[in-house]
C-alpha cells in the first residue's frame, strides 16, 4: 500500500481528483451562460440571467455532491481506524511525576 501512495501515477490521480471540483464548477457556469446566450435570441435578455442562475445552481450542486462524497469517505475512515481523543488517554503515576517537575 505504501508503494502505491508514493507512485507518480497515484499522485497524478489524486491531483486530478482535487482539480475536478473546480473544473466542474467552471464548466457548469459556462454551460449555463452558453444556454442563456443561445436562448437570448429567442426570448430576450432575461433568459441570459436565468442561464447564469442555472449554472451557479449546478455549481453549488456539484460542491454539495463533493462534500457528501468526502464526508462518506471520512466516516468510512473513522470506522476503520481508531481515533484517539485527548480526553481518552489515561494518565499514569509517571505522567504525574513528570508534570510536577515541569
Amino acid at each position: 500500500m505504501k508503494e502505491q501512495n508514493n507512485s507518480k501515477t497515484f499522485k497524478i490521480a489524486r491531483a486530478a481528483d482535487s482539480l475536478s471540483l473546480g473544473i466542474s464548477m467552471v464548466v457548469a457556469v459556462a454551460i449555463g451562460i452558453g444556454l442563456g446566450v443561445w436562448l437570448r435570441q429567442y426570448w430576450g435578455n432575461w433568459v441570459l440571467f436565468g442561464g447564469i442562475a442555472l449554472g451557479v445552481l449546478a455549481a453549488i450542486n456539484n460542491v454539495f455532491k463533493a462534500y457528501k462524497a468526502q464526508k462518506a469517505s471520512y466516516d468510512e475512515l473513522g470506522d476503520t481506524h481508531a481515533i484517539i481523543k485527548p480526553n481518552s488517554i489515561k494518565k499514569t503515576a509517571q505522567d504525574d511525576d513528570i508534570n510536577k517537575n515541569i
Side-chain angles (χ1 to χ4, degrees):
M1 181 77 172
K2 190 167 188 139
E3 294 173 9
Q4 180 185 8
N5 290 343
N6 291 331
S7 72
K8 188 174 184 178
T9 309
F10 182 76
K11 290 178 183 178
I12 291 171
R14 190 171 54 186
D17 186 44
S18 299
L19 286 173
S20 67
L21 178 61
I23 292 170
S24 69
M25 290 176 65
V26 170
V27 168
V29 173
I31 289 173
I33 291 171
L35 277 171
V37 168
W38 179 61
L39 292 175
R40 182 176 62 173
Q41 63 187 342
Y42 300 112
W43 289 310
N45 288 334
W46 64 272
V47 178
L48 175 62
F49 296 112
I52 293 170
L54 183 67
V56 169
L57 289 174
I60 291 170
N61 187 32
N62 288 339
V63 170
F64 182 69
K65 286 180 182 179
Y67 168 75
K68 283 182 14 181
Q70 288 294 326
K71 176 98 169 91
S73 176
Y74 177 73
D75 290 342
E76 181 181 322
L77 179 68
D79 292 340
T80 58
H81 295 10
I83 299 174
I84 299 174
K85 296 179 182 174
N87 295 335
S88 67
I89 300 173
K90 294 183 180 180
K91 287 187 173 184
T92 62
Q94 184 180 12
D95 291 337
D96 288 338
D97 291 339
I98 291 172
N99 289 335
K100 287 178 186 177
N101 292 332
I102 294 178

